[in-house]
Amino acid sequence: MLIAVEAIIEKNGKVRLQKPIRLNSPCRAIVTILDEKSDVISKTALLSEAVLSEDWNRPEEEKAWSHLQKVR
């Protein structure tokens, strides 16, 4: 059984789960540390994509790049 649970790891190593969970017995876990700086970059990229898509998905843009699309 695999369950993903979001948590914060304090500087002293204490793991604090974001939401409580119930288990039938003690379980092993694998902890993945996420680099906050790369998380900010990822969110920025996602937000930028949404803004840019408004410009990219205009009919004028489709026409300008149509020669690069595969023929169906």
Side-chain angles (χ1 to χ4, degrees), residues 11-70:
K11 286 183 179 182
N12 64 4
K14 181 178 179 182
V15 178
R16 185 170 35 100
L17 300 179
Q18 296 295 89
K19 295 180 182 179
I21 61 170
R22 297 193 65 130
L23 302 170
N24 294 330
S25 61
C27 296
R28 294 176 40 207
I30 297 173
V31 177
T32 302
I33 312 257
L34 302 174
D35 181 8
E36 290 294 324
K37 291 177 186 171
S38 64
D39 188 40
V40 170
I41 292 169
S42 298
K43 287 178 183 175
T44 302
L46 289 174
L47 293 173
S48 297
E49 182 181 357
V51 172
L52 290 171
S53 70
E54 291 178 21
D55 186 51
W56 291 339
N57 292 327
R58 294 181 305 152
E60 299 86 17
E61 287 295 315
E62 290 296 323
K63 184 178 178 183
W65 294 96
S66 63
H67 70 281
L68 297 175
Q69 296 176 351
K70 292 182 180 178

